[in-house]
């Protein structure tokens, strides 16, 4: 089992939206909460659920976008997880196609799930248990919220994965322009309002430098 580890901010108070800011608020989770979340995902659909949550936390994807994925969009011809995922405009909120990039840890978690799938590339990545067809965006959103609640996280929404992803990029010193591109935002102003407090964690940013 691969467990997500997010180094850095141990402060229980997020620098974006406030913790406990209300039910349904898309607040970013703390590193400890993310560890708690992934550690709580196990059982019959554990690999599927970890893969789904990884697309939100390791890729910045929306639930509605994850719900429409096929196996082939993530599985490369060599059987490994693709470095990036292209989603057609018809399945994007802004109706413009977008390429999402996946973190190395995210690829490991998703790869564990892909190794269990025997379907061809055209089949749904997350099929409905009832129909075998694509799960609806609402179904995926409800599933993610239930996963959060099972982990004891009651005041976050399905969008909190995307919020945590963007906040982590900022805290690691990634510029607003790059974060905006990762999130498929059309305007920087959207990204700025989305992030809230723009002061990054300087220690995280500097510690990530490698030569």
């Amino acid at each position: 089992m691969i467990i997500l580890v997010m180094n850095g901010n141990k402060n229980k108070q997020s620098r974006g939206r406030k913790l406990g800011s209300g039910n349904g608020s898309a607040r970013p989770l703390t590193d400890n909460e993310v560890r708690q979340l992934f550690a709580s995902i196990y059982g019959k659909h554990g690999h599927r659920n970890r893969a789904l949550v990884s697309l939100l936390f390791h890729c910045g994807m929306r639930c509605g976008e994850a719900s429409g994925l096929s196996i082939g969009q993530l599985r490369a011809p060599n059987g490994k997880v693709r470095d990036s995922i292209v989603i057609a405009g018809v399945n994007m909120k802004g109706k413009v196609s977008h390429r999402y990039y996946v973190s190395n840890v995210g690829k490991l978690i998703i790869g564990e799930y892909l190794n269990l799938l025997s379907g061809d590339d055209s089949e749904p990545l997350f099929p409905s248990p009832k129909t075998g067809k694509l799960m609806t965006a609402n179904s995926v959103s409800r599933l993610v919220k239930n996963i959060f609640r099972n982990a004891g996280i009651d005041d976050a929404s399905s969008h909190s994965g995307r919020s945590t992803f963007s906040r982590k990029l900022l805290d690691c010193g990634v510029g607003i322009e790059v974060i905006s591109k990762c999130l498929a935002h059309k305007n920087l102003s959207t990204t700025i309002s989305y992030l809230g407090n723009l002061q990054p964690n300087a220690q995280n940013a500097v510690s990530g430098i490698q030569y």
Side-chain angles (χ1 to χ4, degrees), residues 18-27 154-157:
K18 292 182 178 180
L19 298 181
S21 55
N23 290 331
S25 61
R27 68 170 180 85
D154 298 320
D155 62 341
S157 77

Side-chain angles (χ1 to χ4, degrees), residues 51-89:
L52 171 59
V53 172
S54 290
L55 288 171
L56 314 182
F57 283 86
H58 283 280
C59 189
M61 199 173 287
R62 301 178 179 93
C63 284
E65 295 156 1
S67 69
L69 292 172
S70 66
I71 293 175
Q73 284 177 273
L74 275 80
R75 187 167 63 192
N78 63 4
K80 295 183 178 181
V81 180
R82 297 180 186 275
D83 294 328
S84 62
I85 306 165
V86 177
I87 299 183

Side-chain angles (χ1 to χ4, degrees), residues 9 13 28 38 57 73 78-79 116 120 126 134 138 162 167 179 181:
N9 178 27
Q13 180 65 46
F38 274 83
F57 283 86
Q73 284 177 273
N78 63 4
L116 300 176
D120 61 44
F126 303 116
L134 289 171
N138 286 338
R162 182 171 164 90
R167 190 71 225 183
I179 297 175
K181 182 177 181 180

Side-chain angles (χ1 to χ4, degrees), residues 2 4 8 11 25 38 54 59 64 68 70 74 90 96 113-116 124-125 127 129 146 157 185 191 194 205:
I2 302 295
L4 172 68
N11 188 347
S25 61
F38 274 83
S54 290
C59 189
S70 66
L74 275 80
V90 66
V96 177
Y113 175 57
L114 284 181
N115 289 337
L116 300 176
L125 180 66
N146 286 335
S157 77
H185 285 162
T191 308
Y194 189 89

Side-chain angles (χ1 to χ4, degrees), residues 5-201:
V5 176
M6 301 180 77
N7 296 321
N9 178 27
K10 297 180 181 179
N11 188 347
K12 194 64 178 178
Q13 180 65 46
S14 169
R15 288 178 300 278
R17 296 176 177 85
K18 292 182 178 180
L19 298 181
S21 55
N23 290 331
S25 61
R27 68 170 180 85
L29 273 59
T30 66
D31 292 353
N32 285 337
E33 285 178 316
V34 175
R35 296 187 189 99
Q36 173 185 333
L37 174 66
F38 274 83
S40 72
I41 303 174
Y42 54 86
K44 181 179 179 180
H45 297 296
H47 284 91
R48 181 202 68 183
N49 292 347
R50 281 194 294 275
L52 171 59
V53 172
S54 290
L55 288 171
L56 314 182
F57 283 86
H58 283 280
C59 189
M61 199 173 287
R62 301 178 179 93
C63 284
E65 295 156 1
S67 69
L69 292 172
S70 66
I71 293 175
Q73 284 177 273
L74 275 80
R75 187 167 63 192
N78 63 4
K80 295 183 178 181
V81 180
R82 297 180 186 275
D83 294 328
S84 62
I85 306 165
V86 177
I87 299 183
V90 66
N91 295 320
M92 290 291 297
K93 182 178 180 180
K95 303 304 178 183
V96 177
S97 62
H98 179 67
R99 182 182 297 273
Y100 280 108
Y101 294 91
V102 190
S103 77
N104 290 333
V105 174
K107 286 188 286 186
L108 289 174
I109 298 173
I110 295 168
E112 289 185 336
Y113 175 57
L114 284 181
N115 289 337
L116 300 176
L117 302 181
S118 58
D120 61 44
D121 287 353
S122 64
E123 294 186 15
L125 180 66
F126 303 116
S128 167
K130 294 182 179 180
T131 67
K133 299 180 180 180
L134 289 171
M135 296 177 67
T136 66
N138 286 338
S139 295
V140 170
S141 180
R142 287 195 299 270
L143 173 59
V144 171
K145 289 179 182 178
N146 286 335
I147 293 171
F148 282 1
R149 282 194 289 268
N150 289 339
I153 303 171
D154 298 320
D155 62 341
S157 77
S158 58
H159 215 60
S160 289
R162 182 171 164 90
S163 179
T164 306
F165 169 80
S166 59
R167 190 71 225 183
K168 177 57 65 176
L169 290 179
L170 182 68
D171 285 346
C172 288
V174 178
I176 299 297
E177 293 85 356
V178 175
I179 297 175
S180 185
K181 182 177 181 180
C182 289
L183 295 175
H185 285 162
K186 293 182 179 180
N187 302 304
L188 287 179
S189 58
T190 303
T191 308
I192 292 172
S193 63
Y194 189 89
L195 287 168
N197 186 344
L198 294 178
Q199 181 178 352
N201 185 316

